[in-house]
Amino acid sequence: MKLLEVQNLKVSFRSRKEELNAIDDISFSINKGETVALIGESGSGKSVTSLSVLGLLPKNGRVVGGHIFYENKDLLRLGKKELGKIRGKQISMIFQDASISLNPSMKIGKQITQGLAYHRIIARKELKREALRLLAKVGFHKPKEVFNQYPGQLSGGMKQRVLITMAISCNPQLIIADEPTTALDVTTQKQILDLMNDYKQSTNTSILLITHDFGLVAEYADRVMVMFGGKIVEAADVFTLFKKPIHPYTKGLMNSIPKIEEPRNHLQTIKDAVIEETAYEGRIFAPETFSADEKVYHSPSTLIEVEPGHHVRFFNESSEVLIR
Amino acid sequence: MRLAIWKQPQFLIGSFILLSMIILSFMSPLFFDPPQEVKYLYEDGKLVDVAPFSPSQVPPFGTDKFGRNLLTLLINGAKYTLLIAIVIAVFRVFLSGLFAIVYHHYNVKLRPLLEDLVESTIFVPTSILAYLLLAPLAVKQAQEGIGFFEIVVIQCIILIFIGVPPLISIFSKDMGRITRKEHIVSTLSLGAKHRYVYIKHVLPEMGSRFLLVIAQQIIQVLILLAHLGVLLIFLGGVKTILDGDLLSTHEVFVSLTGEWSGLIGNNFQEIVHSPHVILVPLGFFSLTIFSMNLIINGMQNTMKKIERGAGS
Ligand SMILES: Nc1ncnc2c1ncn2[C@@H]1O[C@H](COP(=O)(O)OP(=O)(O)OP(=O)(O)O)[C@@H](O)[C@H]1O
Ligand SMILES: [Mg+2]
């Protein structure tokens, strides 16, 4: 059953009179209880996609087309009030950098109960007890202590746990995790993701896992979408994609999986990688879908289902090639 | 802020100096007689000197050109000077804070226009702007006579409003910066209403900003007052008296409140012969600004500590 369905989403940013397309015609869906990964290098549009879902785009960004259906409601056409009811309670977010995603001068206890308080899920005097329960649930041994602490007194991993606590506080159906562990060391990263995974399995929650790390995708996701330049270039279930990646960009990304032992640097872009194949089974890949080079041909491209559930973006031969 | 600020020695020392000046000033009528005008100094029945007298003749700071003891005058004037500066600074920040909230919240379309307007006024020196607005008032007072209280209020209102536009622009930029912060987006993603976010997240963060800017504005106002004093604009207006010997009288403006800038203005002609009449009031201005700077540093240190996350 489809929980979230994004159809032909287009988002653009206005910067100095210029209109810039950040998301170009993206479609995907997430089923109940499923973890879907959105992977792509920095700047490919992952965060913009996730912010669009909850209507949290920065002021200079706007959705220029498409639909985002959640339980048969188009989130893009909901009023402020209705959207407010969905945020946190139905769909919640975990942000990338916990050190800036928590208010440094508000106590942890107060921050994690904000959602419960707005949505009036439980009585005000129950808030503290619920907060302590949640903190214990995400693995804090001394919830009472943490309740009264400020974010600055916690380590990075602990702060990320606090963010998770906030995100699960209202029992959402869908959690959008935008690179929830990028700022953490490998061991802590695993603990955090295991925590999310356990939560997901015990509650049948769906997760949209945004990452640029194929290693995490293999371990935690059911399906994967590979994104580049605001477009999805390949999408399939995890097994298919790992066994038989087709698009050159996907292959490049896979080869750049960082080794566990190596220090984790922000994912290197793959523009230096040599693209050997230019076609698959007679279909040509559109150059713009794997090269960030300004001078490449800009050619209309479409997603084509090469086998059931496996979509790849190819050059659309029925259209003209545009030269930028 | 709250508790941590009281652990900042700079903040404590600055506040101590300021508070003692104000308290002394209010209590001064108990210790000192009202300053006497002693214009001529006789020795053995012979006239040896006329006011202003130097600090060695009348310790510790000498007298002004009317022969009034400078120390007494300065302590007496401290309450007006400091309180008026504080009142003007507080109102400037309060009003611009309010405007900034409204401005930041509502008029998205008008904003670029307003921003240009504000930017263009920032480069006009405030003292010139203030002089242009206050001078006609002084003329009117001289011609028609305006009540003392009335004129103080009008002057303050003018001084408040000329400081507001640049502050609105600063505050609304601050708010823009805060509302783009990740933790605000994170709070919104939980379903918080914009009003809640303003009250619980944006305003508390602005709160410490407001206090800091009040302190900075106090300094700005003091400097502005000193400039206006030189230009013979005194808070509370002036009375015109005749000065000089019986044969060659001329009109002199005297500050009614005795606040410090008035002293500077009254005595400015003496700067070459008796620099102390200007330097001493300027010294008091400097001491005040120094203590305000200590206070500001203390506040900034505390804020930095909180940013770094030590809590309070
Ligand atoms: N506020 C903004 N103003 C203008 N352009 C923006 C803004 N935010 C994002 N963009 C543009 O949208 C594109 C996608 O950005 P996005 O933040 O979604 O990337 P991302 O895939 O999340 O990258 P990362 O891995 O670094 O988080 C970028 O090319 C960026 O230039
Ligand atoms: Mg991102």
Side-chain angles (χ1 to χ4, degrees):
Chain A
M1 192 197 115
K2 279 176 187 164
L3 186 66
L4 184 83
E5 182 160 22
V6 175
Q7 291 178 351
N8 309 101
L9 181 68
K10 281 187 185 175
V11 178
S12 72
F13 284 97
R14 183 170 28 83
S15 59
R16 280 185 252 106
K17 304 261 153 92
E18 214 183 8
E19 196 80 2
L20 195 135
N21 281 344
I23 300 295
D24 198 0
D25 199 16
I26 279 197
S27 302
F28 64 89
S29 62
I30 300 174
N31 295 331
K32 185 110 202 66
E34 197 181 28
T35 298
V36 176
L38 189 54
I39 186 167
E41 65 185 46
S42 195
S44 53
K46 307 183 296 292
S47 298
V48 173
T49 306
S50 66
L51 290 171
S52 313
V53 173
L54 283 181
L56 291 171
L57 285 174
K59 280 213 170 96
N60 61 333
R62 69 195 173 97
V63 174
V64 284
H67 302 272
I68 299 178
F69 290 106
Y70 174 82
E71 290 185 332
N72 299 324
K73 279 173 285 200
D74 188 347
L75 299 183
L76 297 177
R77 279 147 193 90
L78 278 191
K80 250 189 191 165
K81 213 169 166 192
E82 283 98 280
L83 195 59
K85 283 183 195 149
I86 285 178
R87 287 180 186 164
K89 197 176 174 189
Q90 302 288 334
I91 304 177
S92 69
M93 281 192 79
I94 300 172
F95 289 87
Q96 172 167 358
D97 190 348
S99 61
I100 52 172
S101 302
L102 292 168
N103 185 340
S105 46
M106 191 185 262
K107 284 184 182 171
I108 300 296
K110 171 97 186 152
Q111 300 206 45
I112 56 176
T113 49
Q114 290 182 110
L116 290 167
Y118 319 130
H119 295 296
R120 296 177 206 285
I121 291 174
I122 52 175
R124 214 153 260 282
K125 57 179 190 296
E126 300 281 319
L127 283 179
K128 179 162 182 181
R129 182 146 32 110
E130 178 65 8
L132 295 178
R133 192 186 69 79
L134 286 167
L135 285 171
K137 189 167 169 180
V138 299
F140 283 106
H141 299 305
K142 294 175 182 162
K144 275 190 188 138
E145 220 165 83
V146 178
F147 186 89
N148 283 316
Q149 276 174 321
Y150 288 90
Q153 293 165 287
L154 305 180
S155 71
M158 286 158 97
K159 276 187 265 195
Q160 201 66 45
R161 278 176 203 270
V162 172
L163 277 192
I164 292 178
T165 318
M166 281 167 79
I168 65 172
S169 62
C170 304
N171 289 316
Q173 302 283 314
L174 170 66
I175 299 175
I176 300 176
D178 189 352
E179 309 196 27
T181 59
T182 310
L184 304 175
D185 63 81
V186 181
T187 330
T188 322
Q189 189 173 36
K190 183 154 168 49
Q191 288 171 353
I192 296 290
L193 285 163
D194 285 342
L195 171 67
M196 284 175 57
N197 210 34
D198 292 347
Y199 175 80
K200 175 204 139 177
Q201 260 147 22
S202 63
T203 55
N204 202 28
T205 312
S206 313
I207 295 180
L208 177 60
L209 178 65
I210 295 176
T211 176
H212 48 228
D213 184 343
F214 253 117
L216 300 183
V217 172
E219 198 162 349
Y220 297 99
D222 301 310
R223 280 191 298 128
V224 200
M225 300 173 294
V226 182
M227 219 174 149
F228 178 75
K231 294 187 173 71
I232 290 177
V233 295
E234 185 162 6
D237 66 82
V238 170
F239 298 108
T240 312
L241 198 83
F242 273 88
K243 215 165 62 206
K244 192 177 152 194
I246 293 176
H247 199 280
Y249 180 71
T250 312
K251 290 180 180 173
L253 260 191
M254 280 180 174
N255 292 335
S256 70
I257 297 178
K259 303 276 181 306
I260 292 284
E261 304 81 31
E262 282 173 14
R264 185 166 299 266
N265 48 356
H266 216 64
L267 181 86
Q268 56 270 57
T269 52
I270 60 154
K271 63 171 181 285
D272 311 324
V274 183
I275 306 292
E276 279 163 0
E277 301 124 300
T278 51
Y280 171 81
E281 288 184 351
R283 292 184 204 274
I284 306 168
F285 299 114
E288 65 169 295
T289 59
F290 51 81
S291 172
D293 188 348
E294 285 281 316
K295 287 187 286 271
V296 302
Y297 292 127
H298 281 259
S299 40
S301 54
T302 35
L303 275 182
I304 291 181
E305 194 164 20
V306 293
E307 57 187 317
H310 190 171
H311 292 82
V312 181
R313 186 170 285 275
F314 290 104
F315 172 47
N316 187 346
E317 290 171 46
S318 59
S319 321
E320 287 171 41
V321 173
L322 313 167
I323 298 176
R324 195 186 264 173
Chain B
M1 300 296 254
R2 300 176 290 266
L3 286 174
I5 191 88
W6 299 108
K7 292 182 195 137
Q8 287 289 330
Q10 295 178 322
F11 179 84
L12 291 179
I13 295 170
S15 320
F16 176 76
I17 299 177
L18 275 190
L19 275 182
S20 8
M21 273 202 277
I22 294 177
I23 292 172
L24 255 182
S25 177
F26 274 105
M27 295 183 16
S28 69
L30 304 179
F31 309 129
F32 302 117
D33 299 326
Q36 296 290 321
E37 296 193 5
V38 184
K39 298 194 72 168
Y40 304 101
L41 188 64
Y42 296 95
E43 240 164 53
D44 303 331
K46 274 188 220 150
L47 179 68
V48 290
D49 204 358
V50 287
F53 301 119
S54 71
S56 56
Q57 287 166 314
V58 182
F61 292 136
T63 73
D64 72 349
K65 72 172 178 189
F66 304 109
R68 299 175 298 182
N69 186 320
L70 269 181
L71 178 68
T72 325
L73 279 179
L74 283 165
I75 290 192
N76 213 358
K79 51 178 175 286
Y80 301 108
T81 319
L82 297 179
L83 289 185
I84 281 176
I86 292 171
V87 166
I88 292 176
V90 167
F91 270 97
R92 276 182 179 183
V93 169
F94 177 74
L95 289 177
S96 36
L98 271 187
F99 283 132
I101 292 173
V102 176
Y103 171 74
H104 182 256
H105 215 98
Y106 297 105
N107 51 55
V108 184
K109 282 206 186 101
L110 278 179
R111 194 176 300 164
L113 180 72
L114 284 176
E115 245 146 50
D116 289 347
L117 266 179
V118 168
E119 300 269 298
S120 63
T121 58
I122 285 175
F123 298 102
V124 181
T126 357
S127 35
I128 293 183
L129 196 62
Y131 183 76
L132 286 176
L133 292 171
L134 290 172
L137 199 63
V139 174
K140 197 166 153 68
Q141 188 197 24
Q143 287 168 349
E144 302 166 21
I146 306 177
F148 170 75
F149 186 70
E150 210 176 324
I151 202 157
V152 171
V153 171
I154 298 175
Q155 284 175 325
C156 284
I157 290 177
I158 291 175
L159 290 178
I160 288 168
F161 272 93
I162 59 174
V164 165
L167 286 183
I168 296 181
S169 142
I170 292 174
F171 286 150
S172 91
K173 274 186 194 134
D174 281 344
M175 288 194 198
R177 189 174 44 77
I178 295 173
T179 46
R180 272 194 301 275
K181 280 194 177 175
E182 202 91 347
H183 74 254
I184 301 286
V185 183
S186 166
T187 310
L188 285 172
S189 82
L190 286 173
K193 293 199 178 69
H194 277 272
R195 183 180 308 161
Y196 175 94
V197 173
Y198 259 86
I199 294 172
K200 293 283 178 175
H201 292 271
V202 180
L203 288 186
E205 201 166 336
M206 285 305 288
S208 38
R209 255 314 264 169
F210 286 148
L211 287 179
L212 187 72
V213 176
I214 287 179
Q216 289 166 339
Q217 283 295 311
I218 292 176
I219 294 181
Q220 299 293 318
V221 175
L222 286 172
I223 294 173
L224 178 59
L225 288 180
H227 285 178
L228 288 175
V230 174
L231 298 170
L232 293 177
I233 301 283
F234 307 140
L235 275 178
V238 293
K239 70 174 174 232
T240 328
I241 57 162
L242 294 180
D243 187 40
D245 8 33
L246 288 171
L247 296 176
S248 63
T249 56
H250 52 100
E251 288 188 336
V252 182
F253 302 122
V254 180
S255 156
L256 283 172
T257 41
E259 40 85 33
W260 298 346
S261 56
L263 280 175
I264 293 179
N266 281 152
N267 293 291
F268 200 67
Q269 309 96 299
E270 312 289 339
I271 191 164
V272 179
H273 299 296
S274 318
H276 75 273
V277 289
I278 303 300
L279 292 181
V280 174
L282 279 184
F284 272 70
F285 267 115
S286 309
L287 180 66
T288 314
I289 291 173
F290 172 69
S291 351
M292 282 313 303
N293 272 329
L294 285 181
I295 293 177
I296 290 172
N297 283 343
M299 288 162 93
Q300 277 171 336
N301 286 345
T302 319
M303 276 148 91
K304 259 186 227 140
K305 261 194 198 140
I306 292 175
E307 280 279 295
R308 254 184 273 126
S312 64

